[in-house]
């Protein structure tokens, strides 16, 4: 029975990991969230979440991606990052995080505001501020990007001055950035948008157009970095709408700005540009921390991340922290694991009797199953007793998979020969790819598979006939199957599973030694 359980677990891991890569899901966090399609004239409807009207876009921008690439830019350098501005739009094209392997976070036309189709000019810049201005004889628009010296926070102030003799009214929208979902496969699963209000946080699936009233902030994210914006002046409507093809705008729209002659109106926004790191985001604004979300098992993933950070503070190494986490999970599930091992041992003791029943009732499957169940009942053996600890491990496994794959804190963390625990261990890279393995030689999954082979060999029940043949097949097939499934997984996850397997092996040997 335990062999069948392992096969089911292996297949489940493979299917679910493949599914998460190919079909990334949206993850709303709320008691009741209804996303409705509508063709209303306005995207604002109190208490509802509605699809953005395509026929009346919030910001009328018709440029193609190629047009945007051709616009003149200049680079504004800060400690740890270079920010590329599009001068004529008073917008941020991309951020180059110099302290993180020069990772480029592309925003397209980040912080494009209503009226930004006009030709802005650079007004001034210094160590902490970049200011743009636009004037057409009717109005003046100043856009100030004010940078913090202590964190990744930016203040955006948009000041509209009416220099005419008539009242003017302007749209009031700001695009946080553009999300290109055209990459397929593994990388696409890391892309996402977030709309948040005081009542709920929506993690929007790809290829969806959505609005959320009374939004406190909106965000877009990639694997390790994110951008967030919040309107500090008024409550706004957050939106995700199609720009063109597979490119979507993410931003905020507020009430129409009405400016009397000779007067001015200001809008103030708080921005975060930086790592998807819970500690850093909490230092900037704790309410923004909900942008970090690990999918279906987010609750478990958040607990595991906190536990990992706790262990890391103790040992100052993420590899050792993962080992301690594996030990902690093992001790937590130890009572169930003992029951599993006892169940397996009892099943082994009954194996000769089961073989005898199979010979006796080989032509009557129904009678055979009945007799086997009677045998289990007589000896008080639960044939499914070995499955429960494995099933309880699955949510932890999938949650840890997401944590190790997405956690910025673990990016680039080394352990022994492993250069990055969030990636396969890549002991050696070949010039030519090997089928199922690729160019990278990952030794840790191989060690894990060998350990599994030894574990099965030492704990294999003595039996004959058909059961013996099945055991011999499983002895070879299971380590290979798990080795293939784990081969390209994050090294930290393989390390966790390997340590857990070793602990289970030690316990099994101790139990086998008892009379």
């Amino acid at each position: 029975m335990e062999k069948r359980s392992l096969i089911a677990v292996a297949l489940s891991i493979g299917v679910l990991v493949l599914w998460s890569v190919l079909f990334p899901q949206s993850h709303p966090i709320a008691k009741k969230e209804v996303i409705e399609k509508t063709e209303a004239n306005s995207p604002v409807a109190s208490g509802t979440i509605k699809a953005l009207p395509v026929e009346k876009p919030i910001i009328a921008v018709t440029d193609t991606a190629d047009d945007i690439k051709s616009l003149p830019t200049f680079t504004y350098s800060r400690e740890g990052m270079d920010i590329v501005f599009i001068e004529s739009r008073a917008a941020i094209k991309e951020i180059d995080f110099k302290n993180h392997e020069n990772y480029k976070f592309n925003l397209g036309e980040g912080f494009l505001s209503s009226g930004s189709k006009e030709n802005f000019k650079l007004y001034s810049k210094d160590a902490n501020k970049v200011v743009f201005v636009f004037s057409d004889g009717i109005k003046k628009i100043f856009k100030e990007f004010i940078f913090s010296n202590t964190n990744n926070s930016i203040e955006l102030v948009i000041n509209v001055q009416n220099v005419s003799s008539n009242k003017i009214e302007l749209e009031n929208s700001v695009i946080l950035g553009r999300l290109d979902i055209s990459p397929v496969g593994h990388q696409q699963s890391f892309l996402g948008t977030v709309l948040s209000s005081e009542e709920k946080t929506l993690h929007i699936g790809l290829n969806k157009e959505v609005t959320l009233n009374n939004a406190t902030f909106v965000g877009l994210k990639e694997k390790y970095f994110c951008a967030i914006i919040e309107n500090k002046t008024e409550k706004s409507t957050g939106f995700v709408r199609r720009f063109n093809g597979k490119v979507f705008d993410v931003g905020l729209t507020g009430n129409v700005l009405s400016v009397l002659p000779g007067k001015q109106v200001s809008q103030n926004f708080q921005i975060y540009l930086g790592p998807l790191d819970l500690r850093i985001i909490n230092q900037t604004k704790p309410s923004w921390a909900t942008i970090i979300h690990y999918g279906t098992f987010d609750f478990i993933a958040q607990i595991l991340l906190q536990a990992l950070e706790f262990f890391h503070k103790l040992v100052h190494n993420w590899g050792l922290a993962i080992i301690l986490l594996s030990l902690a999970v093992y001790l937590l599930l130890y009572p169930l694991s003992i029951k599993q091992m006892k169940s397996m041992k009892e099943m082994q003791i009954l194996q000769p009797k089961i073989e005898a029943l199979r010979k006796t009732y080989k032509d009557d499957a129904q009678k055979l199953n009945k007799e086997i169940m009677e045998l289990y009942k007589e000896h008080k053996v639960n044939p499914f007793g070995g499955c429960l600890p494995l099933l309880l491990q699955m949510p932890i496994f999938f949650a840890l998979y997401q944590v190790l794959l997405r956690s910025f804190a673990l990016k680039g963390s080394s352990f022994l020969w492993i250069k990055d625990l969030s990636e396969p261990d890549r002991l050696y890279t070949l010039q030519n790819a090997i089928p199922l393995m690729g160019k990278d030689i990952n030794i840790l999954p191989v060690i894990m598979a060998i350990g599994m082979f030894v574990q099965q060999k030492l704990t294999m029940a003595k039996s004959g006939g058909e059961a013996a043949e099945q055991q011999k097949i499983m002895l070879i097939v299971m380590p290979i199957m798990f080795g293939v499934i784990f081969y390209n997984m994050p090294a930290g996850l393989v390390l966790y599973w390997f340590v857990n397997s070793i602990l289970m092996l030690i316990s099994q040997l101790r139990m086998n030694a008892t009379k």
Side-chain angles (χ1 to χ4, degrees), residues 316-335:
H316 305 291
N317 181 278
W318 287 108
L320 292 176
I322 290 171
I323 292 174
L324 290 177
L325 177 66
S326 184
L327 178 60
V329 172
Y330 170 78
L331 292 175
L332 183 66
L333 298 178
Y334 183 75

Side-chain angles (χ1 to χ4, degrees), residues 140-167:
K140 277 188 176 181
I141 302 176
F142 289 89
K143 288 183 70 174
E144 299 183 31
F145 292 85
I146 305 168
F147 297 86
S148 170
N149 286 324
T150 58
N151 53 35
N152 294 71
S153 179
I154 303 172
E155 184 179 7
L156 171 61
V157 179
I158 302 176
N159 189 303
V160 180
Q161 299 177 1
N162 187 348
V163 296
S164 72
S165 57
N166 299 313
K167 184 177 75 170

Side-chain angles (χ1 to χ4, degrees), residues 134 136-141 159-171 256-265:
F134 164 78
D136 61 1
I138 298 175
K139 61 185 177 297
K140 277 188 176 181
I141 302 176
N159 189 303
V160 180
Q161 299 177 1
N162 187 348
V163 296
S164 72
S165 57
N166 299 313
K167 184 177 75 170
I168 60 174
E169 291 186 343
L170 297 173
E171 293 181 31
V256 172
L257 293 179
S258 181
V259 191
L260 296 174
K263 301 296 183 179
Q264 64 180 23
V265 175

Side-chain angles (χ1 to χ4, degrees), residues 134-285:
F134 164 78
S135 178
D136 61 1
I138 298 175
K139 61 185 177 297
K140 277 188 176 181
I141 302 176
F142 289 89
K143 288 183 70 174
E144 299 183 31
F145 292 85
I146 305 168
F147 297 86
S148 170
N149 286 324
T150 58
N151 53 35
N152 294 71
S153 179
I154 303 172
E155 184 179 7
L156 171 61
V157 179
I158 302 176
N159 189 303
V160 180
Q161 299 177 1
N162 187 348
V163 296
S164 72
S165 57
N166 299 313
K167 184 177 75 170
I168 60 174
E169 291 186 343
L170 297 173
E171 293 181 31
N172 177 22
S173 300
V174 174
I175 290 178
L176 170 61
R178 293 203 166 102
L179 187 69
D180 184 356
I181 66 170
S182 58
V184 295
H186 194 54
Q187 290 302 317
Q188 192 184 61
S189 64
F190 299 118
L191 304 177
T193 56
V194 179
L195 305 181
S196 183
S197 67
E198 292 180 355
E199 292 79 25
K200 63 194 67 165
T201 298
L202 301 178
H203 293 263
I204 309 300
L206 302 183
N207 208 30
K208 291 185 179 180
E209 295 182 281
V210 177
T211 63
L212 175 64
N213 294 313
N214 298 318
T216 51
F217 75 87
V218 300
L220 61 84
K221 56 184 178 179
E222 296 183 357
K223 185 175 182 180
Y224 293 119
F225 292 89
C226 68
I228 301 171
I229 187 169
E230 178 175 331
N231 191 335
K232 296 173 66 178
T233 306
E234 63 176 348
K235 293 294 183 182
S236 300
T237 297
F239 64 85
V240 179
R241 67 172 175 84
R242 192 181 302 274
F243 172 62
N244 61 44
K246 291 186 175 293
V247 181
F248 289 77
D249 284 339
V250 184
L252 293 168
T253 182
N255 297 320
V256 172
L257 293 179
S258 181
V259 191
L260 296 174
K263 301 296 183 179
Q264 64 180 23
V265 175
S266 294
Q267 290 282 296
N268 194 299
F269 301 86
Q270 188 176 2
I271 296 165
Y272 174 85
L273 295 175
L276 272 166
D277 188 299
L278 186 62
R279 178 182 55 84
I280 298 174
I281 294 176
N282 272 327
Q283 289 175 353
T284 306
K285 193 160 189 176

Side-chain angles (χ1 to χ4, degrees), residues 328-439:
V329 172
Y330 170 78
L331 292 175
L332 183 66
L333 298 178
Y334 183 75
L336 290 175
S337 298
I338 291 298
K339 289 184 179 180
Q340 175 199 16
M341 293 174 191
K342 287 181 178 179
S343 177
M344 290 172 61
K345 190 172 183 179
E346 289 166 351
M347 290 287 290
Q348 290 175 2
I349 294 172
L350 292 180
Q351 197 63 38
K353 295 183 179 181
I354 293 174
E355 285 297 318
L357 288 174
R358 284 175 177 164
K359 291 179 181 179
T360 304
Y361 302 103
K362 61 181 179 179
D363 297 324
D364 190 346
Q366 186 174 358
K367 180 68 173 176
L368 173 62
N369 290 332
K370 183 179 179 181
E371 290 295 327
I372 290 177
M373 294 308 296
E374 287 294 330
L375 183 65
Y376 289 152
K377 185 176 180 180
E378 179 185 348
H379 291 271
K380 297 180 181 181
V381 173
N382 182 2
F384 301 102
C387 301
L388 184 58
L390 289 172
L391 293 176
L392 290 177
Q393 281 274 27
M394 287 302 98
I396 297 173
F397 175 88
F398 292 122
L400 188 62
Y401 172 75
Q402 292 295 330
V403 168
L404 295 177
L405 208 60
R406 296 170 180 263
S407 177
F408 179 82
L410 294 173
K411 176 176 168 56
S413 300
S414 61
F415 180 66
L416 300 178
W417 71 89
I418 305 167
K419 296 179 181 179
D420 189 342
L421 287 164
S422 67
E423 300 285 343
D425 63 271
R426 297 189 178 111
L427 179 66
Y428 184 74
T429 300
L430 303 172
Q431 291 184 346
N432 299 313
I434 299 175
L436 299 178
M437 298 176 64
K439 292 184 178 181

